[in-house]
């Protein structure tokens, strides 16, 4: 069984006791060290790469957000803090999860399950097209089945992912960055603001693409590549 090598950095001794106790319930976790000094923790990470880092945010000398930003090789991050106001910062640092103290056992379990799933996804051996991608939406790491996507809409620094059923998902990323995660044969850019799922196309007429639930414009710069795809 795969185990996740992890450490905890927190200036509160009680936090180590809580995390150590919770971690013991998960054979997948190997908590190899704890640090009450963020500088020592950062030095350990520089010399000893780990899979998962539990880290507090409010600490002396350097806070958890600054420490994570300073890491050249970032492990999966789970922030542990008593303050809600740092949630957006953790989101922008691609944290796996954000746990508020006092940490609830069931909430801890959900965070570990996310880390296990994401680790398995990142280390899976190539086996054809990936059927899922991971996105961050509403401060959560979410697994999204590619079949659920109808089209993706750019909204400057955000993307709105429109699904075949259910409400759209918002994620903090550019359309270009998101497109790089998707298999090229299944998703095509048709406009500076739109990427479509090719298997959701019903018709292409002039500069319009009709999908299952909507019709979208095709810009001139993408019309030729779309036409080539339609001919296949």
């Amino acid at each position: 069984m795969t185990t996740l090598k992890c450490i905890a950095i927190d200036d509160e001794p009680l936090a180590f006791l809580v995390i150590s106790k919770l971690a013991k319930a998960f054979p997948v976790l190997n908590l190899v060290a704890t640090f009450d000094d963020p500088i020592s923790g950062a030095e350990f990470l520089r010399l000893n790469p780990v899979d998962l880092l539990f880290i507090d945010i409010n600490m002396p000398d350097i806070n958890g957000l600054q420490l994570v930003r300073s890491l050249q090789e970032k492990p999966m991050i789970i922030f542990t803090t008593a303050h809600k106001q740092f949630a957006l910062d953790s989101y922008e640092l691609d944290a796996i999860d954000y746990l508020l103290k006092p940490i609830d056992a069931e909430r801890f379990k959900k965070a570990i399950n996310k880390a296990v799933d994401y680790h398995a996804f990142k280390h899976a051996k190539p086996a054809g097209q990936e059927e899922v991608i991971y996105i961050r939406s509403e401060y959560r790491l979410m697994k999204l089945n590619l079949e659920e996507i109808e089209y993706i809409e750019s909204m400057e620094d955000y993307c709105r992912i429109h699904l075949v059923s259910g409400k759209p998902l918002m994620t903090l990323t550019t359309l270009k960055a998101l497109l790089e995660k998707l298999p090229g044969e299944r998703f095509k850019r048709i406009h500076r603001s739109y990427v479509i799922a090719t298997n959701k196309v019903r018709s292409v007429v002039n500069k319009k693409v009709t999908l299952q639930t909507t019709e979208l414009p095709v810009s001139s710069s993408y019309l030729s590549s779309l036409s080539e795809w339609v001919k296949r």
Side-chain angles (χ1 to χ4, degrees):
M1 180 181 68
T2 300
T3 58
L4 301 181
K5 182 180 178 182
C6 53
I7 70 168
I9 303 175
D10 199 309
D11 64 330
E12 300 175 9
L14 180 59
F16 297 144
L17 295 176
V18 172
I19 290 175
S20 297
K21 181 179 178 180
L22 292 171
K24 286 179 180 178
F26 296 86
V28 72
L29 297 181
N30 178 20
L31 186 63
V32 297
T34 59
F35 298 89
D36 59 6
D37 170 18
I39 303 300
S40 298
E43 181 64 13
F44 180 90
L45 287 170
R46 187 179 69 82
L47 300 173
N48 304 275
V50 300
D51 300 305
L52 178 62
L53 169 62
F54 297 96
I55 184 167
D56 189 19
I57 292 180
N58 277 345
M59 294 185 291
D61 299 324
I62 179 173
N63 69 35
L65 297 170
Q66 293 170 328
L67 191 153
V68 170
R69 289 191 183 102
S70 73
L71 297 176
Q72 291 187 344
E73 297 294 330
K74 291 182 176 60
M76 294 182 291
I77 306 294
I78 295 178
F79 285 108
T80 58
T81 180
H83 304 280
K84 294 181 179 180
Q85 69 265 30
F86 296 112
L88 180 59
D89 297 281
S90 72
Y91 179 91
E92 293 175 346
L93 287 171
D94 290 340
I96 290 291
D97 213 335
Y98 183 91
L99 299 178
L100 287 173
K101 299 176 182 178
I103 301 172
D104 175 75
E106 192 61 31
R107 187 65 184 81
F108 184 84
K109 178 181 178 180
K110 289 182 180 179
I112 300 308
N113 287 340
K114 288 186 204 175
V116 170
D117 285 349
Y118 190 67
H119 183 268
F121 170 75
K122 292 290 286 184
H123 292 83
K125 295 180 180 179
Q129 291 181 335
E130 292 289 354
E131 294 300 320
V132 301
I133 60 170
Y134 280 80
I135 64 165
R136 286 173 173 80
S137 182
E138 298 178 356
Y139 308 117
R140 296 180 298 159
L141 184 70
M142 299 180 63
K143 182 166 66 175
L144 178 61
N145 192 309
L146 298 186
E147 275 301 311
E148 297 179 21
I149 302 174
E150 183 177 19
Y151 69 100
I152 304 167
E153 179 183 5
S154 173
M155 304 185 73
E156 296 185 354
D157 294 332
Y158 287 82
C159 283
R160 177 182 285 147
I161 303 174
H162 295 263
L163 308 177
V164 174
S165 60
K167 66 178 184 179
L169 300 175
M170 293 289 289
T171 183
L172 180 60
T173 187
T174 64
L175 194 60
K176 179 181 178 181
L178 188 54
L179 188 57
E180 290 174 354
K181 296 182 178 182
L182 299 168
E185 289 303 307
R186 297 183 61 179
F187 293 89
K188 295 291 183 185
R189 192 162 191 168
I190 62 167
H191 190 277
R192 65 187 301 272
S193 298
Y194 298 110
V195 164
I196 60 169
T198 56
N199 64 347
K200 303 299 189 297
V201 174
R202 291 186 171 178
S203 65
V204 180
V205 179
N206 297 326
K207 292 187 177 182
K208 297 286 185 180
V209 171
T210 301
L211 303 175
Q212 292 183 0
T213 66
T214 191
E215 185 178 80
L216 298 174
V218 181
S219 64
S220 300
S221 57
Y222 292 100
L223 189 59
S224 60
S225 62
L226 183 64
S227 300
E228 288 297 317
W229 170 78
V230 172
K231 291 176 184 178
R232 295 178 185 176

